């Protein structure tokens, strides 16, 4: 299971008074938006204007409708995780209605799914539970593989920023082998979560690959044309 430590954020410990007030508020207030979160996904994003520079992102996602999902992104799955960005996911039906200039801001999820990079962290110790979770995860990947995502990161934790500095950064997904050190980076992630991208890749061989709109994944097409 992944672990979490206190991040490098300025300031002292949260005062006891604040903790007491927050505990009381959590018992009385409703927090309806966050109660709609229904899935935890983990993958890696790369900067749209610096393809290859990447950040690990834990997505906590909810459905707004059948065609729209929204995700809060954190740098870890632990209690001290920093909120580093947001991602929206939409179906091809909605993606096709967007202007061409807008579509260039969105990325596909085909490689993330088919490579085994994208995971839904779950039970890993009990064999029966882990097997059932793998089956559920593979089923979910059949839905995610065709979605388009638009993601902005607000906090550049990969360069050591102690606070969210500067403008939000448009991010994108990896789309092919060779774009970063996949085996090392994803392998290190798997060790923390008790997962195996090779096994997931094999389990997802039957996940149908949709056609990717030519306007998506523009960051990589721009880089490859240089």
């Amino acid at each position: 299971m992944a672990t979490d430590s206190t991040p490098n954020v300025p300031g002292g410990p949260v005062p006891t008074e604040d903790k007491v007030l927050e505990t009381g508020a959590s018992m009385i207030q409703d927090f309806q938006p966050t109660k709609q979160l229904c899935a935890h996904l983990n993958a890696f994003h790369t900067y749209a204007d610096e393809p290859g520079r990447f950040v690990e992102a834990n997505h906590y996602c909810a459905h707004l409708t059948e065609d729209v999902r929204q995700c809060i992104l954190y740098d870890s799955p632990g209690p001290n995780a920093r909120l580093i960005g947001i991602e929206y996911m939409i179906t091809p039906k909605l993606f096709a209605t967007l202007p061409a200039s807008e579509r260039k801001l969105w990325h596909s999820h085909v490689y993330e799914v088919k490579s085994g990079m994208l995971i839904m962290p779950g039970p890993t110790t009990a064999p029966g539970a882990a097997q059932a979770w793998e089956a559920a995860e593979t089923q979910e990947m059949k839905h995610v593989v065709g979605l388009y995502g638009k993601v902005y990161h607000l906090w550049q934790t990969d360069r050591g920023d102690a606070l969210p500095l500067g403008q939000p950064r448009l991010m994108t997904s990896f789309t092919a082998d060779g774009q970063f050190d996949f085996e090392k980076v994803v392998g290190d992630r798997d060790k923390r979560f008790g997962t195996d991208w090779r096994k997931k890749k094999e389990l997802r061989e039957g996940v149908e690959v949709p056609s990717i709109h030519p306007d998506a994944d523009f960051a990589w097409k721009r880089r490859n044309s240089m």
Side-chain angles (χ1 to χ4, degrees), residues 87-90 105-109 147-151 171:
E87 179 167 3
Y88 301 98
M89 300 181 189
I90 60 174
L105 305 176
W106 297 72
H107 63 266
S108 65
H109 288 95
L147 300 178
Y148 292 94
K150 183 179 184 181
V151 55
M171 309 294 280

Side-chain angles (χ1 to χ4, degrees), residues 158-178:
D158 62 304
R159 69 178 186 184
D161 288 3
L163 292 170
L165 305 176
Q167 298 292 325
R169 299 291 297 274
L170 178 69
M171 309 294 280
T172 190
S173 63
F174 289 103
T175 59
D177 293 337

Side-chain angles (χ1 to χ4, degrees), residues 43-47 53-55 57 59 73 87 151 153 171-172:
F44 295 86
H45 294 152
T46 186
Y47 289 80
R53 179 186 167 199
F54 62 87
V55 179
H59 309 52
L73 310 180
E87 179 167 3
V151 55
H153 280 207
M171 309 294 280
T172 190

Side-chain angles (χ1 to χ4, degrees), residues 170-186:
L170 178 69
M171 309 294 280
T172 190
S173 63
F174 289 103
T175 59
D177 293 337
Q179 293 175 341
F180 75 131
D181 192 348
F182 184 101
E183 291 198 13
K184 180 184 185 306
V185 174
V186 180

Side-chain angles (χ1 to χ4, degrees), residues 88-215:
Y88 301 98
M89 300 181 189
I90 60 174
T91 58
K93 178 176 66 176
L94 290 185
F95 184 78
T97 68
L98 301 176
S101 59
E102 172 64 25
R103 289 196 294 261
K104 291 179 179 180
L105 305 176
W106 297 72
H107 63 266
S108 65
H109 288 95
V110 173
Y111 181 76
E112 288 187 10
V113 169
K114 295 293 286 185
S115 67
M117 177 203 298
L118 184 64
I119 62 170
M120 291 179 61
T124 58
T125 53
Q131 186 175 7
W133 185 258
E134 289 276 15
E137 179 189 67
T138 302
Q139 184 62 31
E140 175 64 9
M141 292 300 130
K142 293 179 181 178
H143 298 287
V144 176
V145 72
L147 300 178
Y148 292 94
K150 183 179 184 181
V151 55
Y152 282 95
H153 280 207
L154 312 173
W155 196 332
Q156 297 182 59
T157 54
D158 62 304
R159 69 178 186 184
D161 288 3
L163 292 170
L165 305 176
Q167 298 292 325
R169 299 291 297 274
L170 178 69
M171 309 294 280
T172 190
S173 63
F174 289 103
T175 59
D177 293 337
Q179 293 175 341
F180 75 131
D181 192 348
F182 184 101
E183 291 198 13
K184 180 184 185 306
V185 174
V186 180
D188 287 346
R189 186 279 311 274
D190 282 349
K191 290 177 184 177
R192 286 183 279 109
F193 281 96
T195 54
D196 183 351
W197 65 266
R198 293 177 179 85
K199 181 179 179 182
K200 294 184 184 298
K201 182 177 181 179
E202 182 180 349
L203 289 171
R204 297 172 189 176
E205 286 181 356
V207 175
E208 185 176 352
V209 177
S211 60
I212 300 174
H213 195 287
D215 288 340

